[in-house]
Amino acid sequence: MFLSDLCVPSRLPRKHQSQLIEEEQQESSDQVTGRRPPIVDSIDILYMDDEYLAVNKPADVRMDGDFDVTVTKLVYRKLGWKEDSVSPKPRFVHRLDYATSGVLIAGLTEQSASYLAKLFRERRVEKFYLALVHGWIGSKTIVMEESIANHPVDGFMMTVGDGGGKRAKTECIPLSFGLYGDYLVTKVLLKPFTGRRHQLRVHCKFHGFPIVGDATYGMDSVFGPDDARTPPRMMLHAWKLKVPGDGRRKELWVETPDPFETCFVDLATICVVDTVQGG
């Protein structure tokens, strides 16, 4: 499925979420830039049955690790589970960047997790993202196929490969033009056909429209965490996810609300996203 089928921005341990400075900026620089993430104490459950659990990951929350707030700990807290052998164990088979929000799906059994992992490995799970990017980028669909490679200097960042790297493909459909503060922005729908690290962020930057609030690849988070010009988050959201069915399981679509619907002044609609289930 293509996006057209849907259309008619060495770290010390942190003790608490409120004490954090945007993780990715500290990964690549000692300069205090970026933002202070919000205090997060809950997570929304989007779907749950005996095999699957889907949640809406908040922005600026880690997946796991020895930190006060992680996706895994929020799930246990939300459902009243304990990390023991009796309670179900959510096995997340894919990840979102620290600064990215949106749909995450986990298997609740070894069998369902193995099945999901196989689908992701075979690139059969379809993912759709919403983003605000800098500039008014026109109305035509953009197909970005530059390879993604490790940055030659910064060990945290990725870059477009110059004769190297791994093959990558992202399709981008502009949805609307508008204003975010003093910035001209475009709201876009992004579909990755591959799953390279930082793929969407690197592709958007390379094509001249970095994502609003991307402290690693963007242009708007250099003012410091207490400056009003610093966006409160990276405007990249995993909006919708499709898991194909098999002989026993039905096809599953999981969708979140649009977090950018009211955070910018929408001046002109280019493309309307079809709201029919399954696109």
Side-chain angles (χ1 to χ4, degrees):
M1 177 183 294
F2 287 81
L3 284 183
S4 52
D5 296 329
L6 292 175
C7 284
V8 178
S10 136
R11 180 183 306 106
L12 295 175
R14 280 62 173 258
K15 295 181 179 180
H16 194 275
Q17 189 82 356
S18 62
Q19 296 175 295
L20 304 180
I21 299 297
E22 209 279 343
E23 174 183 291
E24 295 170 355
Q25 192 67 26
Q26 288 201 350
E27 288 268 13
S28 59
S29 174
D30 292 328
Q31 183 182 1
V32 180
T33 58
R35 59 187 171 271
R36 287 190 175 91
I39 297 174
V40 177
D41 58 7
S42 186
I43 194 167
D44 291 333
I45 306 299
L46 301 172
Y47 177 84
M48 185 175 175
D49 61 19
D50 292 338
E51 295 188 305
Y52 297 148
L53 170 70
V55 300
N56 188 3
K57 175 190 175 295
D60 295 333
V61 170
R62 296 169 176 80
M63 290 292 300
D64 48 32
D66 187 19
F67 300 99
D68 183 69
V69 178
T70 68
V71 170
T72 301
K73 290 178 180 178
L74 289 173
V75 168
Y76 278 107
R77 189 181 308 165
K78 177 79 172 185
L79 297 174
W81 292 350
K82 297 182 179 180
E83 297 187 54
D84 53 31
S85 59
V86 178
S87 298
K89 180 180 180 181
R91 299 167 171 87
F92 289 100
V93 297
H94 67 124
R95 305 178 69 86
L96 292 176
D97 290 345
Y98 166 81
T100 305
S101 61
V103 179
L104 280 169
I105 191 166
L108 293 179
T109 66
E110 289 186 8
Q111 292 78 13
S112 61
S114 176
Y115 176 68
L116 282 175
K118 181 175 183 291
L119 294 178
F120 274 95
R121 188 168 57 250
E122 295 174 351
R123 299 176 184 165
R124 294 172 58 196
V125 176
E126 297 186 55
K127 297 170 286 184
F128 305 89
Y129 291 72
L130 296 172
L132 289 186
V133 301
H134 281 281
W136 290 358
I137 68 173
S139 59
K140 294 183 178 180
T141 297
I142 303 169
V143 179
M144 302 178 280
E145 297 186 274
E146 293 78 19
S147 62
I148 304 295
N150 293 325
H151 194 280
V153 177
D154 192 314
F156 176 71
M157 295 176 67
M158 306 298 287
T159 188
V160 165
D162 184 11
K166 295 182 179 180
R167 184 181 66 86
K169 180 179 179 181
T170 305
E171 187 175 331
C172 169
I173 287 185
L175 300 179
S176 61
F177 299 143
L179 296 172
Y180 180 81
D182 295 330
Y183 298 119
L184 303 178
V185 296
T186 304
K187 184 178 180 179
V188 298
L189 188 59
L190 299 169
K191 176 175 171 42
F193 290 83
T194 52
R196 309 306 179 198
R197 185 168 181 262
H198 296 181
Q199 175 178 321
L200 303 183
R201 301 159 67 183
V202 172
H203 271 167
C204 288
K205 176 188 177 182
F206 180 79
H207 282 262
F209 44 90
I211 295 171
V212 173
D214 189 339
T216 300
Y217 301 101
M219 52 184 279
D220 55 15
S221 299
V222 297
F223 307 109
D226 299 314
D227 194 297
R229 294 171 293 178
T230 300
R233 58 159 294 177
M234 181 171 71
M235 305 299 182
L236 177 63
H237 178 75
W239 170 63
K240 196 170 186 178
L241 182 146
K242 174 190 171 185
V243 179
D246 58 12
R248 185 173 64 85
R249 303 173 180 88
K250 293 182 178 180
E251 179 181 279
L252 175 64
W253 280 87
V254 185
E255 182 177 343
T256 72
D258 176 1
F260 310 137
E261 195 166 22
T262 60
C263 76
F264 77 111
V265 180
D266 190 338
L267 298 179
T269 298
I270 307 165
C271 176
V272 176
V273 179
D274 188 357
T275 58
V276 177
Q277 182 77 344

